[in-house]
Amino acid sequence: MKTIDELIQDGVEGKRIFVRADLNVPLAGTTITDDGRIRAVAPTIAKLAAAGAKVIVASHLGRPKGAPDPQFSLAPAAARLGEILGKQVSFATDTVGDSAKATVAALANGEVTLLENLRFNAGETSKDDAERGAFADALASLADLYVGDGFGAVHRKHASVFDLPARLPHAAGDLIATEVGVLKKLTEDVARPYVVVLGGAKVSDKLGVIDNLLEKADRILIGGGMSYTFLKAKGHEVGISLLQEDQIPVCLEYLARAEKRGVEFVLPVDVLVSADFPDLKTKAPANPELVASDAIPADKEGLDIGPKTRELYASKLADAGTVFWNGPMGVFEHPDYANGTKAVAQGLLDCDGFTVVGGGDSAAAVRTLGFDENAFGHISTGGGASLEYLEGKTLPGLAALED
Ligand SMILES: Nc1ncnc2c1ncn2[C@@H]1O[C@H](COP(=O)(O)OP(=O)(O)O)[C@@H](O)[C@H]1O
Ligand SMILES: O=C(OP(=O)(O)O)[C@H](O)COP(=O)(O)O
């Protein structure tokens, strides 16, 4: 992959450079609650701007349905990016329309603009090659060069990630280079025991990676929304917890294979449950109930791991040589359900091994819960992306950046 330093050496002054970033940051209304992903890509943008390029930054935010949806606007990210860069960042209220064209045309050398959410256009995520290609053509007409630096989205075969770099001379940004450098080490020889902790809410996306992890990890600890499909597969009631019913046979197969291969596969022994999802805005007390993980009431959902599980997971992390963790253990955004995630974060810090935390929300959790991000071996901006990288899969957004 060409680096941005090589791109700059070729001369970028006055060139319009499209930077595909991952600015999918957590928001409370229009307030960014964690700006880690913006800070992570800012050095690439600053470097290109300092070299005299006209920088067009673009990203997705959340999962809008292919049409404008104000709750997923990137406008707050433009303001924050401007603060981080210490310069004005203009904002286009569309992606390939009149606003984008005018904003790009108005850029002077060294200036930066951010386009509105790419997923407001159905072509971005379309499974139809022609529809994605047409959107990529429109994006390509805005720029002369392409820099891929949205590591968190490189596992997505989307127009701006996969199709656009095929249409423009391209390079990999510094964030992607760093991420790949660290994760590559985890695919080579890892210090053992190699412990993988999986949680979060994107259960259907991430269950599949266990297939490959069973060949590599010594221990797999499951928490968060991921737990309940396994608990159900073991025959337990999971009430109204997150459940991927169609994946129950797959979970049973994983449990059987883990046993056969001698991989420790650890599920929660107790969980905090409630009939209601907590109010993340007011953070009003949620008064959760603590139950054994085989005794979840039919009308309640599991929202965090319980104290016995916290202790168990801390003990399973204590002697780790390597830890990879993706996905919060509970709805950490509410204080009543943050203790499981805190315990796992502390478990990583207490072990002597090399620790990697991956994922937008996991990284945000570590920071918002008060941990020092520099105390971890590496905090990756990608959850699904890093998991698929560790699986050894060809990632569309990395393949597209090859020379
Ligand atoms: N038991 C649970 N039920 C519902 N949501 C959960 C549960 N545990 C964790 N979550 C949610 O998972 C989200 C993060 O999941 P995910 O996007 O998969 O992680 P990441 O961004 O780190 O890859 C958080 O917003 C958290 O509230
Ligand atoms: O937040 C992201 O992934 P992650 O939750 O796996 O870290 C990326 O921005 C990708 O978003 P997507 O999973 O909606 O494609």
Side-chain angles (χ1 to χ4, degrees), residues 130-152:
E131 193 183 5
R132 267 200 336 275
F135 184 49
D137 284 339
L139 290 172
S141 71
L142 294 173
D144 306 302
L145 302 168
Y146 176 94
V147 167
D149 215 19
F151 179 73

Side-chain angles (χ1 to χ4, degrees), residues 193-200 209-210 213-214 217-227 230 255 258 263-269 305 308-320 322-329 340 343-345 347-348 387:
Y194 179 18
V195 185
V196 175
V197 189
L198 285 181
V209 304
I210 294 173
L213 288 173
L214 284 169
D218 300 301
R219 260 174 228 153
I220 300 177
L221 317 181
I222 305 286
M226 185 75 89
S227 319
F230 282 100
L255 290 168
V263 176
E264 265 189 89
F265 203 94
V266 195
L267 294 173
V269 292
I305 56 173
K308 281 194 188 134
T309 310
R310 296 202 296 262
E311 221 169 278
L312 175 67
Y313 285 13
S315 75
K316 298 288 177 194
L317 288 164
D319 65 342
T322 308
V323 185
F324 179 84
W325 169 32
N326 168 252
M329 295 293 99
V344 165
L348 263 69
L387 282 168

Side-chain angles (χ1 to χ4, degrees), residues 184-344:
K184 194 162 186 286
K185 279 192 223 146
L186 292 193
T187 64
E188 290 158 3
D189 58 344
V190 291
R192 293 187 180 275
Y194 179 18
V195 185
V196 175
V197 189
L198 285 181
K202 293 180 179 170
V203 185
S204 58
D205 273 18
K206 292 174 184 172
L207 257 174
V209 304
I210 294 173
D211 186 53
N212 183 270
L213 288 173
L214 284 169
E215 309 297 317
K216 295 185 173 147
D218 300 301
R219 260 174 228 153
I220 300 177
L221 317 181
I222 305 286
M226 185 75 89
S227 319
Y228 305 99
T229 308
F230 282 100
L231 292 170
K232 180 91 176 178
K234 292 188 83 168
H236 305 313
E237 170 70 65
V238 296
I240 52 170
S241 306
L242 271 188
L243 179 66
Q244 207 63 46
E245 191 107 42
D246 58 325
Q247 296 294 308
I248 288 175
V250 176
C251 288
L252 282 171
E253 196 260 315
Y254 290 160
L255 290 168
R257 194 140 55 89
E259 192 166 337
K260 206 162 135 203
R261 292 190 60 85
V263 176
E264 265 189 89
F265 203 94
V266 195
L267 294 173
V269 292
D270 57 355
V271 289
L272 297 181
V273 300
S274 173
D276 306 300
F277 197 83
D279 188 329
L280 302 182
K281 261 194 204 131
T282 63
K283 312 243 159 113
N287 304 316
E289 182 187 337
L290 173 65
V291 296
S293 58
D294 59 0
I296 298 176
D299 60 344
K300 302 214 163 136
E301 64 181 314
L303 294 162
D304 194 12
I305 56 173
K308 281 194 188 134
T309 310
R310 296 202 296 262
E311 221 169 278
L312 175 67
Y313 285 13
S315 75
K316 298 288 177 194
L317 288 164
D319 65 342
T322 308
V323 185
F324 179 84
W325 169 32
N326 168 252
M329 295 293 99
V331 182
F332 74 92
E333 295 91 340
H334 191 286
D336 289 348
Y337 299 112
N339 287 329
T341 302
K342 272 189 200 164
V344 165

Side-chain angles (χ1 to χ4, degrees), residues 102-127:
T103 317
V104 171
L107 284 175
N109 294 1
E111 287 188 345
V112 180
T113 193
L114 174 65
L115 305 183
E116 184 51 289
N117 193 338
L118 291 160
R119 292 186 184 171
F120 285 180
N121 191 308
E124 171 66 1
T125 57
S126 176
K127 294 211 165 26

